Amino acid sequence: METFDYEQVQLIPAKCVITSRSQADTSIEFGGREFKIPVVPANMQTVLNEALAEELARKGYFYIMHRFEPEKRMPFIKHMNAEGLFASISVGVKPEEYTFIDEIKASGERVDYITIDIAHGHSETVIDMIKYIKEQIPETFVIAGNVATPEAVRDLENAGADATKVGVGPGRVCITKIKTGFGTAGWQLQAIKLCAKAARKPIIADGGIRTNGDIAKSVRFGASMVMIGSLLAAHVESPGETVEEDGVTYKEYFGSASQFQKGIYKNVEGKKMLIESRGSLWHTMREMEEDLQSSISYAGGRDLGALRTVDYMIVPTIYNGD
Ligand SMILES: NC(=O)C1=CN([C@@H]2O[C@H](COP(=O)(O)OP(=O)(O)OC[C@H]3O[C@@H](n4cnc5c(N)ncnc54)[C@H](OP(=O)(O)O)[C@@H]3O)[C@@H](O)[C@H]2O)C=CC1
Ligand SMILES: Nc1nc2c(ncn2[C@@H]2O[C@H](COP(=O)(O)O)[C@@H](O)[C@H]2O)c(=O)[nH]1
């Protein structure tokens, strides 16, 4: 079987049918709502906080709030409901998370999206949680992950998941491959392709996005949404700690399974890194939209649909212009 990842794939231009890139429509319907671009910042503590989540919702972007400050989730849901904004949160699978689902139900508050966020999502614990959420809050759109195989996608869909999140170990601060020998690092785009073929519902490509062009490639191979950590961390608005070194400003970006997240070195599958601070998040989101508009024009279409059928070439080494 051909093996490839983002770096090895180039999409092949088709005849342009628009006269300006501004005519290209990058919007995506996901879970009954329309969003500006098929991009969602990773539900990680150094990428997103409540204030950013609210601003993303206000500006027409999808977001998934992380689950690492559990006590803040209920007040966040209430706040978003009071503001007339959609509520999108994450849960784990431990017993206290079942109590939290009960709490949401009892509160009568609306939660539009719940993401079950577990390293090894192809498991009975995730299947049980999907079923429980669907029983208790059936109107909620459930995203389940993370998984790596078509079989896992089908199992989670069959349990009731409305979307699945694909990617085990391709992230910038992931060390799952090194620590366990498992994952999609090095073939993440191919995993997206295989999972999307099996999926009957949307999939989110999660991890390994290193350039804006990788968003178009994810869509080409079947992703409805693309989850991005490192490229969307280290902005002025990012919650990661700011660090000054030799006159340069950096921001911390750490893995959700790192000792920095856990506060203890146990079952660690993530690390921390410093990323040079890169200005406003909204500038980066705007640039992603513009680059996606260009991608659509190169695909010879007017919207994201054009990307899904565009031809591609697998090139072992990318010519970098030197
Ligand atoms: N996308 C990716 O490649 C990865 C992402 N992550 C992220 O790190 C965060 C922490 O994830 P996670 O450790 O799952 O969350 P938790 O620490 O909340 O663990 C969830 C539950 O699953 C159990 N569990 C975790 N891993 C396994 C496994 N491999 N086999 C069996 N049971 C397991 C845990 O028990 P116990 O701890 O006792 O085993 C715990 O009961 C999440 O945000 C996740 O998305 C982490 C690794 C890979
Ligand atoms: N193996 C691990 N994966 C992790 C960890 N924390 C987060 N993640 C995953 O990475 C992506 C973001 O990837 P990026 O390439 O865009 O930076 C994120 O959405 C998670 O799925 C971790 O500690 N270990």
Side-chain angles (χ1 to χ4, degrees):
M1 193 197 287
E2 56 184 358
T3 306
F4 60 84
D5 209 340
Y6 289 103
E7 256 185 45
Q8 285 82 48
V9 166
Q10 281 188 61
L11 305 177
I12 301 176
K15 187 179 178 192
C16 187
V17 297
I18 52 180
T19 53
S20 162
R21 283 165 285 205
S22 62
Q23 293 161 6
D25 177 7
T26 61
S27 68
I28 181 83
E29 186 277 328
F30 187 77
R33 282 182 178 70
E34 191 173 281
F35 300 103
K36 272 186 185 162
I37 50 175
V39 166
V40 57
N43 49 345
M44 298 167 70
Q45 209 171 352
T46 48
V47 176
L48 194 65
N49 58 16
E50 286 78 6
L52 255 185
E54 181 176 343
E55 206 53 26
L56 284 158
R58 281 193 196 286
K59 288 180 160 39
Y61 297 108
F62 186 45
Y63 78 90
I64 300 173
M65 191 54 210
H66 66 73
R67 66 178 169 91
F68 302 110
E69 290 171 298
E71 71 289 352
K72 289 188 174 175
R73 289 182 299 187
M74 205 60 222
F76 174 73
I77 292 166
K78 287 182 178 162
H79 177 76
M80 294 302 269
N81 279 343
E83 294 293 311
L85 299 167
F86 71 95
S88 172
I89 56 150
S90 304
V91 298
V93 293
K94 292 181 181 170
E96 58 269 27
E97 297 294 68
Y98 284 83
T99 311
F100 177 53
I101 298 299
D102 295 343
E103 199 190 326
I104 294 174
K105 185 181 179 183
S107 73
E109 296 287 339
R110 202 191 68 247
V111 179
D112 302 282
Y113 300 85
I114 297 183
T115 297
I116 306 171
D117 172 36
I118 296 297
H120 188 8
H122 192 191
S123 77
E124 283 303 325
T125 56
V126 170
I127 287 171
D128 289 346
M129 182 52 100
I130 293 169
K131 289 180 178 164
Y132 193 71
I133 296 171
K134 281 295 177 184
E135 273 165 27
Q136 301 304 317
I137 330 175
E139 61 282 7
T140 293
F141 188 91
V142 175
I143 301 163
N146 274 25
V147 297
T149 63
E151 186 193 357
V153 168
R154 279 192 294 263
D155 283 351
L156 300 193
E157 286 184 347
N158 289 341
D162 299 299
T164 53
K165 198 144 69 72
V166 177
V168 174
R172 185 106 187 260
V173 282
C174 294
I175 52 171
T176 298
K177 182 179 88 171
I178 300 162
K179 295 271 279 176
T180 72
F182 282 81
T184 57
W187 61 286
Q188 167 68 1
L189 188 59
Q190 194 168 19
I192 299 301
K193 181 184 178 194
L194 297 172
C195 289
K197 273 191 175 168
R200 284 167 287 128
K201 300 173 184 176
I203 67 164
I204 301 181
D206 180 13
I209 302 297
R210 300 288 170 264
T211 65
N212 289 357
D214 293 346
I215 301 167
K217 292 177 191 178
S218 304
V219 173
R220 166 61 186 84
F221 287 96
S224 295
M225 269 285 165
V226 185
M227 181 168 264
I228 300 179
S230 52
L231 281 190
L232 293 178
H235 289 87
V236 176
E237 302 85 352
S238 306
E241 286 288 313
T242 302
V243 177
E244 296 271 342
E245 268 180 22
D246 300 328
V248 183
T249 305
Y250 298 89
K251 283 219 156 189
E252 279 185 359
Y253 175 52
F254 57 69
S256 305
S258 68
Q259 62 180 312
F260 308 98
Q261 181 73 67
K262 294 173 174 228
I264 174 178
Y265 194 88
K266 185 167 189 305
N267 296 129
V268 161
E269 288 185 30
K271 62 180 181 180
K272 178 167 80 174
M273 63 187 295
L274 294 178
I275 301 178
E276 198 170 330
S277 190
R278 43 163 82 110
S280 168
L281 175 71
W282 310 116
H283 179 265
T284 297
M285 294 299 271
R286 177 69 202 147
E287 188 177 343
M288 282 181 176
E289 184 177 342
E290 286 171 1
D291 288 348
L292 209 43
Q293 286 181 310
S294 283
S295 299
I296 290 168
S297 84
Y298 282 116
R302 300 175 186 282
D303 56 31
L304 292 176
L307 285 172
R308 300 195 195 284
T309 51
V310 77
D311 288 336
Y312 66 91
M313 194 65 80
I314 297 173
V315 244
T317 312
I318 299 285
Y319 172 61
N320 66 9
D322 294 334

